[in-house]
C-alpha cells in the first residue's frame, strides 16, 4: 500500500467512452459502489450535469472539451484526496503543455490556467461505499474548442479554452492517452518517493507563487501572500503580520 493507499493495479487503465452522461464522476462512483476495481476511466463527449468544486456546475458542451473521471481504490484515508488533486494537476499541466504548446499553470487547489484564465479543473471525490474498499473518483475537465460566445456570461471573465488561448488543439482521445500516461508517471513517482517530488513540480508549475491572493475559507476572505504548499498539500498563506496560515480547503479568489 502506498501513501495515497491505492494499489499498483490502479495504473492499468481501462478506458470507456460514453456519448452523453450527467457527470462522469457520477458514472464512475456508481461503478465503484458496484465493486469495480481501481483503474476504470470513463470519458464523456458531453455532460448534462458536469460538476465542479463547491457545488458549481462544469460547462460541458458536446465535443468541445475533454471530460473524464478515474477510479482510484484507496486505503481509506480521506485526507489523501487533496494530494491526489495536486498530483493530477501536475500531470494535467504537463500533458496539456506538451499537447498544446501553451504554458499551462496551476492555481491552488485544482485550477489549470493559461494567462490567468481557467482552461481546466479537477474534482476529486472521496467515497466509502458499504461493503467495499473506499475509493477516490478523480474527474478532470478541459476546455478545448469552446469559443467566447459559447461560455455562460458569468464565466467569460475567468474562463478560456485551448483554442481561445491560441494553443494547438489536440484530438481529445490522444490528449486523454497523454494525460493518463502523465498520471501514471506521477503516481509511480509518488509511490516510490512520496509527495515531495510532486510538490516540487507543483511549485514550479504554480502560476501565482509569491503573489498577493484572497482566499475564501468558509465565509471568511483571508488576504496574504501565496507562499506555496506544504508537505500535506495545504496552501501556505503569509498574512500581513508575517504569520503563516495553513489552509486545507478554500478557494483562491484574487490573483
Ligand atoms: C472545478 O474546477 O471545479 C472542477 C471541474 C471538474 C470537471 C470534471 S469534467 C469530468 C468530471 N465530471 C464532472 O462532473 N466533473 C469532472
Amino acid at each position: 500500500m502506498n501513501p495515497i493507499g491505492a494499489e499498483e493495479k490502479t495504473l492499468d487503465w481501462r478506458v470507456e467512452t460514453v456519448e452523453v452522461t450527467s457527470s462522469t464522476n457520477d458514472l464512475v462512483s456508481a461503478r465503484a459502489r458496484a465493486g469495480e476495481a481501481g483503474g476504470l476511466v470513463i470519458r464523456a463527449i458531453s455532460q448534462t450535469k458536469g460538476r465542479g468544486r463547491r457545488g458549481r456546475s462544469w460547462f460541458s458542451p458536446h465535443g468541445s472539451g475533454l471530460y473524464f473521471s478515474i477510479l482510484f481504490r484507496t486505503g481509506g484515508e480521506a485526507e489523501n484526496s487533496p494530494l491526489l488533486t495536486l498530483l493530477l494537476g501536475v500531470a494535467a499541466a504537463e500533458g496539456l503543455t506538451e499537447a498544446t504548446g501553451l504554458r499551462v499553470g496551476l492555481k491552488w487547489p485544482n485550477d489549470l490556467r493559461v494567462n490567468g484564465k481557467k482552461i481546466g479543473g479537477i474534482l476529486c471525490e472521496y467515497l466509502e461505499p458499504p461493503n467495499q474498499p473506499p475509493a477516490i473518483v478523480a474527474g478532470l475537465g478541459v476546455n478545448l474548442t469552446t469559443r467566447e460566445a459559447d461560455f455562460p456570461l458569468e464565466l467569460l471573465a475567468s474562463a478560456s479554452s485551448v483554442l481561445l488561448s491560441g494553443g494547438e488543439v489536440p484530438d481529445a482521445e490522444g490528449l486523454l492517452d497523454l494525460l493518463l500516461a502523465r498520471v501514471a508517471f506521477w503516481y509511480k513517482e509518488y509511490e516510490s518517493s512520496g509527495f515531495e517530488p510532486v510538490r516540487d513540480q507543483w511549485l514550479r508549475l504554480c502560476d501565482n507563487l509569491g503573489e498577493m491572493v484572497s482566499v475564501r475559507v468558509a465565509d471568511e476572505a483571508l488576504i496574504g501572500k501565496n507562499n506555496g504548499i506544504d508537505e500535506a498539500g495545504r496552501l501556505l498563506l503569509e498574512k500581513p503580520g508575517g504569520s503563516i496560515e495553513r489552509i486545507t480547503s478554500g478557494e483562491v479568489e484574487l490573483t
Side-chain angles (χ1 to χ4, degrees):
M1 208 60 93
N2 57 60
I4 285 182
E7 297 155 32
E8 179 74 24
K9 65 180 184 225
T10 299
L11 299 176
D12 293 333
W13 309 126
R14 303 182 305 285
V15 180
E16 298 179 12
T17 301
V18 298
E19 203 52 37
V20 187
T21 185
S22 52
S23 153
T24 53
N25 268 36
D26 291 345
L27 275 190
V28 170
S29 299
R31 295 279 286 274
R33 286 194 193 91
E36 185 85 29
L40 173 71
V41 178
I42 300 186
R43 170 188 167 214
I45 309 300
S46 70
Q47 301 181 117
T48 53
K49 285 188 182 150
R51 287 186 281 113
R53 284 179 75 243
R54 307 188 153 241
R56 297 201 187 100
S57 58
W58 184 259
F59 182 55
S60 316
H62 186 91
S64 64
L66 174 63
Y67 322 111
F68 68 97
S69 301
I70 306 173
L71 174 60
F72 292 88
R73 283 289 178 186
T74 81
E77 294 170 46
E79 61 271 25
N80 284 328
S81 68
L83 297 191
L84 198 54
T85 300
L86 300 167
L87 186 153
L88 286 167
V90 166
E94 286 182 348
L96 277 165
T97 295
E98 185 181 332
T100 64
L102 296 167
R103 193 216 175 282
V104 179
L106 295 169
K107 186 186 87 159
W108 187 87
N110 71 320
D111 288 3
L112 295 156
R113 303 202 304 181
V114 176
N115 296 326
K117 285 197 166 190
K118 181 158 172 165
I119 63 156
I122 295 153
L123 175 68
C124 284
E125 296 177 311
Y126 179 79
L127 295 183
E128 273 184 3
N131 310 317
Q132 296 281 340
I136 295 174
V137 176
L140 213 150
V142 182
N143 303 326
L144 291 175
T145 55
T146 329
R147 293 171 190 275
E148 265 178 16
D150 304 329
F151 278 116
L153 265 185
E154 68 275 15
L155 293 182
L156 260 186
S158 59
S160 188
S161 67
V162 170
L163 182 74
L164 282 173
S165 308
E168 199 172 306
V169 178
D171 141 72
E173 213 172 316
L175 178 62
L176 174 62
D177 289 344
L178 179 59
L179 296 187
L180 289 175
R182 294 317 295 161
V183 174
F185 171 85
W186 280 108
Y187 199 85
K188 280 196 175 139
E189 191 69 13
Y190 183 82
E191 283 186 317
S192 58
S193 311
F195 184 58
E196 192 71 18
V198 180
R199 175 171 172 254
D200 289 348
Q201 184 64 344
W202 194 94
L203 290 170
R204 270 180 227 117
L205 293 170
C206 177
D207 69 2
N208 62 353
L209 204 60
E211 291 179 13
M212 291 302 286
V213 293
S214 163
V215 188
R216 179 150 293 279
V217 181
D219 284 340
E220 210 187 344
L222 303 174
I223 309 270
K225 191 167 92 176
N226 173 4
N227 268 357
I229 53 174
D230 69 6
E231 67 294 338
R234 291 172 296 200
L235 182 72
L236 297 170
L237 188 75
E238 185 183 324
K239 301 219 281 208
S243 64
I244 300 283
E245 176 124 4
R246 290 168 195 260
I247 300 172
T248 307
S249 170
E251 188 81 357
V252 174
E253 288 184 330
L254 292 174
T255 56

